[in-house]
Amino acid sequence: MANTQALPSDPALRNLDGLLPDLEALYKHVHSHPELSMQETRTGGLAADRLRDAGYEVTTGVGKTGVVGLLRNGDGPTVMLRADMDALPIQEATGLSYASKATATDREGNTVPVAHMCGHDMHVTWLAGAAKLLAEARTSWRGTLMPVFQPAEETGEGAQAMIDDGLFKRFPKPDVILGQHVMVGPSGTVAGRAGAITSAADSLQIRLFGRGAHGSMPQASIDPVVMAASTVLRLQTIVSREVAAAEAAVLTVGVLQAGTKENVIPDEAIIKLNVRTFDAGVRKRVLAAIERIANAEAAASAAPRPPEITPIDQYPLNVNNQDAAKRVEDAFRGHFGAERVRETGPAPASEDFGSFGSEWHVPSVFWFIGGTDPETYVKAKEANKINELPVNHSPKFAPVLHPTLRTGVEALVIAARAWLPS
């Protein structure tokens, strides 16, 4: 196993060992007190307090619950570091002593379990730690540091909410925007690439209309259950028959709802689906095919009206700037060593992080931090069971604390220092 506690290569990391116990306590606290998207008042308050204590100018309530810090430290580049804060409506099943037992009221008024099953608690902790260390070492660099704690990544609205709330007008334009995400992979490693790093995503609802009847008299109905079933099966042919092998797309139907009783044919059915793509042209073709198939299946069933196709949420393609990504990779290799820095392919996960760079016209770089126990990962790989490891959004997703915590803080500091001159 690689040494993950080498001597610090930057003055800002000299106090990391002493800070780790405090960061571990912060992580466990945030993990135990998760908040749904656009409800991150407690988490945002913790982030704001940490920034103030470290000497940052702090603005809260940006995009409702977002937090922006500024540390002006002489002439030099402005570096934005971003972490997302929200949790998911999932019942945690990790068995951790600090596992979430929280519930909350969602936007539909339902009481739901809440847990940090995507690692945003780790992201908050990383950024809090990096911000403090860089502030303590301000005599070793010049420029402006801008930590941003963002709400509502899980619903794809948080970045845009901060932008719509005047982020670009109220704060200095950065020279680079940096972010990271904990994922399945050996803890202590970092992984990234130039170009597309996470996919575009589109979630849609298809509402199919039929004519209800008694289950014993299907001839009197236009059955939306059969219509929906046919639509789901036909949708699977888009990727297999309309997307070239050299291209990439994922289409998943996650919801199929119809009826309330086994002997009643309902009036309508609901399909909810999610699409991931890495190319604008592929995205356009896939979305057009979904609309074509839904309308054709409705027509084939003699539906009384065409289906309603409604967007639910959308994430942009997240593209790492070539030159900026190379600078981050070189900095990582210089600090971590080549054996801990990995090249990764584009991930079919999605992020609204890219909105900051694309809409501000600023280079951005996003990378991944491994969160899996290294021995567990090696054994799973040898047994060809990588896909059996709990992934983000699994109720059992639980990054190992060490060295994940250390590695993420180091990565943010080293990446920021690639732009901040001495």
Side-chain angles (χ1 to χ4, degrees):
M1 177 177 159
N3 177 16
T4 58
Q5 297 191 36
L7 291 174
S9 61
D10 190 275
L13 296 174
R14 289 173 184 163
N15 295 330
L16 177 55
D17 283 340
L19 183 60
L20 281 175
D22 175 63
L23 293 181
E24 180 176 331
L26 174 63
Y27 170 77
K28 290 180 178 180
H29 181 83
V30 175
H31 186 92
S32 301
H33 298 85
E35 295 170 300
L36 292 175
S37 304
M38 288 300 185
Q39 299 181 21
E40 309 94 338
T41 53
R42 182 191 187 102
T43 309
L46 289 171
D49 289 344
R50 293 266 170 164
L51 292 177
R52 288 192 192 96
D53 289 345
Y56 287 77
E57 304 169 33
V58 178
T59 305
T60 60
V62 183
K64 190 174 181 180
T65 57
V67 177
V68 179
L70 281 175
L71 185 61
R72 306 175 196 268
N73 193 35
D75 295 334
T78 296
V79 176
M80 173 176 155
L81 304 176
R82 174 268 201 179
D84 39 11
M85 301 186 291
D86 53 330
L88 288 157
I90 295 177
Q91 181 72 56
E92 182 169 352
T94 62
L96 294 168
S97 60
Y98 51 90
S100 170
K101 298 178 176 62
T103 61
T105 302
D106 67 13
R107 296 179 189 184
E108 286 72 44
N110 303 310
T111 300
V112 295
V114 188
H116 270 294
M117 296 292 96
C118 197
H120 297 184
D121 46 352
M122 187 66 75
H123 304 172
V124 169
T125 307
W126 283 337
L127 184 50
K132 180 176 177 62
L133 291 174
L134 285 163
E136 290 176 344
R138 70 188 75 184
T139 58
S140 67
W141 58 270
R142 292 178 290 106
T144 298
L145 197 63
M146 185 164 70
V148 171
F149 292 85
Q150 179 209 307
E153 184 279 329
E154 295 294 355
T155 54
E157 61 187 318
Q160 195 61 51
M162 296 189 81
I163 293 168
D164 292 343
D165 197 21
L167 182 74
F168 296 171
K169 296 178 180 178
R170 299 163 64 183
F171 302 97
K173 184 175 183 176
D175 292 271
V176 69
I177 299 172
L178 306 172
Q180 59 188 15
H181 204 299
V182 63
M183 299 282 277
V184 169
S187 182
T189 63
V190 298
R193 72 189 307 271
I197 184 71
T198 61
S199 65
D202 293 90
S203 292
L204 307 171
Q205 175 180 287
I206 302 173
R207 186 180 179 191
L208 296 164
F209 301 97
R211 183 172 65 234
H214 196 287
S216 66
M217 294 179 281
Q219 73 281 0
S221 77
I222 296 176
D223 194 337
V225 177
V226 175
M227 195 188 311
S230 298
T231 302
V232 169
L233 291 176
R234 184 74 182 188
L235 287 171
Q236 305 311 305
T237 67
I238 295 175
V239 173
S240 66
R241 289 296 176 268
E242 300 191 40
V243 177
E247 297 172 328
V250 177
L251 191 158
T252 297
V253 175
V255 174
L256 177 54
Q257 297 172 334
T260 57
K261 200 171 188 299
E262 77 285 351
N263 65 347
V264 177
I265 296 172
D267 281 325
E268 61 182 58
I270 296 290
I271 295 169
K272 295 183 182 180
L273 58 86
N274 179 259
V275 177
R276 309 289 173 127
T277 54
F278 296 96
D279 177 85
V282 172
R283 175 180 177 269
K284 184 177 180 179
R285 294 203 310 272
V286 170
L287 293 178
I290 291 168
E291 184 174 355
R292 184 191 75 235
I293 287 170
N295 280 292
E297 289 293 346
S301 298
R305 54 186 287 198
E308 291 180 357
I309 303 176
T310 307
I312 299 172
D313 58 45
Q314 179 182 330
Y315 291 82
L317 184 65
N318 187 6
V319 180
N320 284 342
N321 176 271
Q322 294 278 342
D323 293 338
K326 177 66 164 56
R327 189 187 292 200
V328 169
E329 180 184 353
D330 289 347
F332 284 167
R333 289 184 183 278
H335 174 74
F336 293 114
E339 72 280 0
R340 293 175 58 194
V341 181
R342 303 183 175 202
E343 178 84 11
T344 184
S350 299
E351 260 279 353
D352 64 355
F353 168 84
S355 296
F356 294 117
S358 61
E359 295 191 36
W360 217 338
H361 305 293
V362 169
S364 64
V365 187
F366 194 76
W367 61 90
F368 304 124
I369 305 289
T372 312
D373 174 75
E375 293 183 8
T376 299
Y377 187 87
V378 168
K379 289 178 181 178
K381 187 174 183 178
E382 291 174 348
N384 197 27
K385 293 183 177 180
I386 291 290
N387 288 337
E388 295 182 18
L389 295 173
V391 298
N392 306 68
H393 290 216
S394 161
K396 294 185 178 180
F397 181 70
V400 292
L401 274 175
H402 304 292
T404 309
L405 190 53
R406 169 189 291 274
T407 305
V409 174
E410 288 180 330
L412 281 179
V413 169
I414 294 302
R417 288 289 280 119
W419 270 265
L420 298 171
S422 300

